[in-house]
Amino acid sequence: MSVPVDATPGHFIVLEGGEGAGKTTQWDRLAAALRGLGHDVVAVREPGGTPIGDALRALLLDPASQLEARTEALLFAASRAQLVHDVIAPARARGALVLVDRFLLSTYAYQGAGRGLPLEGLRAANALATAGQAPDLTLLLTVPEPVAASRLAQRGGADRLERAGADFHARVGAAFHDALDAAWQARHPEVGPVVRIDADADLDVVTARCIAALVARWPQRFADAASAQLPQRHAPHV
Ligand code: TMP
C-alpha cells in the first residue's frame, strides 16, 4: 500500500555527493548523532536497504556486470521502488527521520549526465519508483577534486561505477553542482531542495555542518541538536 505524501509527518533527508566526498561516513555519523538525541532514525543506503535492493546493489557494483546504460538505470530505479515501498514510506508515515545515502539526484547525475541517458526517461521511470516520495532536504557534500581523488586512491578495490573514468566523474560532479541552483531545483521538484555542505574539513566539523543545515531548516524539530555535543563513533542500523 502506498502512503500519500501529504499524510507523512516524518522527515526524508538524503545525503549526496560524488565519489570520495565522505558522504557515507557522514550519513553514519549523522544517524548516530540524531539517535543519540533520541530521534527515531531510519538510515538506509541506495542502492540497497532491502533484501532485493542489496541483491541489485551487488549486481550494479560488480565490475564483472555487463550492464547496458538503460538496464543500469532501471536496476537503480527498481532498488529505489522496493526501498520506497518497504522502508521510506512506512517510516515517514510513522513520523521517523529517514536518512538515505543517495537517492534520485544520483540517478540524474550518474545515469543522466554520466551515461548520457535522457532526463525525461529517467524521470518517468523514477516517478513510478518513488510513488510521489520526494526528499524534504538533500545535503550535497562537496570536496575539491584532488581531495576526492586521493581518498578514492586510498580506498582501493574500485567498484563498477568508481571505475567509469575521469570524464564520467567530471560530468557527474558538474551535474551535482547544477543541482545547487535554485532554478534547477524549481524545474525538478521531484528532487526536493538541495543544500551544499563543504565536506573538506575534519569529520566532526562536517557532521556539525550537516546538523546545522537541519537546524536551519527545521529549528523546532532539531532545537536539541543545535546545542548537543557530537557522540563518538557508532554503527548505524535500520
Ligand atoms: P555508494 O558508493 O555511495 O554506496 O553508491 C554506489 C554507487 O552507485 C556510486 O558509484 C553511485 C552509484 N549510483 C548511481 O549510479 N545511480 C544511482 O541512482 C545511485 C543511487 C547510485
Side-chain angles (χ1 to χ4, degrees):
M1 189 194 78
S2 66
V3 179
V5 173
D6 59 2
T8 55
H11 288 97
F12 177 13
I13 297 157
V14 174
L15 270 81
E16 287 279 12
E19 314 291 336
K23 169 187 57 58
T24 302
T25 303
Q26 291 301 329
W27 164 78
D28 178 343
R29 291 169 65 88
L30 194 54
L34 294 170
R35 281 195 187 109
L37 292 168
H39 290 273
D40 175 7
V41 178
V42 173
V44 282
R45 64 180 181 174
E46 273 214 342
T50 65
I52 291 290
D54 288 339
L56 292 173
R57 180 182 179 90
L59 206 65
L60 280 160
L61 300 191
D62 184 350
S65 296
Q66 304 278 318
L67 297 178
E68 196 274 326
R70 285 166 301 177
T71 310
E72 176 183 290
L74 291 168
L75 292 180
F76 277 115
S79 173
R80 183 164 300 140
Q82 194 73 33
L83 186 69
V84 164
H85 177 270
D86 289 1
V87 180
I88 296 176
R92 221 177 168 189
R94 75 161 195 258
L97 203 162
V98 185
L99 204 56
V100 184
D101 181 352
R102 296 197 185 280
F103 199 65
L104 177 57
L105 181 54
S106 274
T107 289
Y108 286 179
Y110 283 81
Q111 282 66 54
R115 299 290 190 217
L117 290 177
L119 181 81
E120 285 316 314
L122 297 174
R123 181 178 252 163
N126 280 280
L128 187 64
T130 59
Q133 295 282 345
D136 293 310
L137 184 64
T138 293
L139 307 179
L140 174 62
L141 272 60
T142 64
V143 291
E145 210 284 317
V147 174
S150 96
R151 286 182 184 168
L152 265 185
Q154 282 169 22
R155 206 187 284 171
D159 67 36
R160 204 176 58 81
L161 275 299
E162 286 167 350
R163 291 180 186 193
D167 289 353
F168 175 92
H169 287 290
R171 291 195 296 279
V172 169
F176 277 133
H177 184 264
D178 288 349
L180 291 168
D181 178 52
W184 188 97
Q185 292 173 31
R187 289 196 304 276
H188 302 85
E190 70 279 15
V191 170
V194 183
V195 298
R196 187 175 92 90
I197 303 289
D198 177 357
D200 186 19
D202 286 349
L203 292 180
D204 282 347
V205 171
V206 180
T207 308
R209 287 176 183 163
C210 291
I211 290 173
L214 302 188
V215 174
R217 189 144 202 108
W218 295 289
Q220 288 185 331
R221 175 141 192 193
F222 295 107
D224 52 353
S227 53
Q229 295 290 316
L230 289 179
Q232 298 306 305
R233 167 81 186 65
H234 344 58
H237 54 88
V238 175

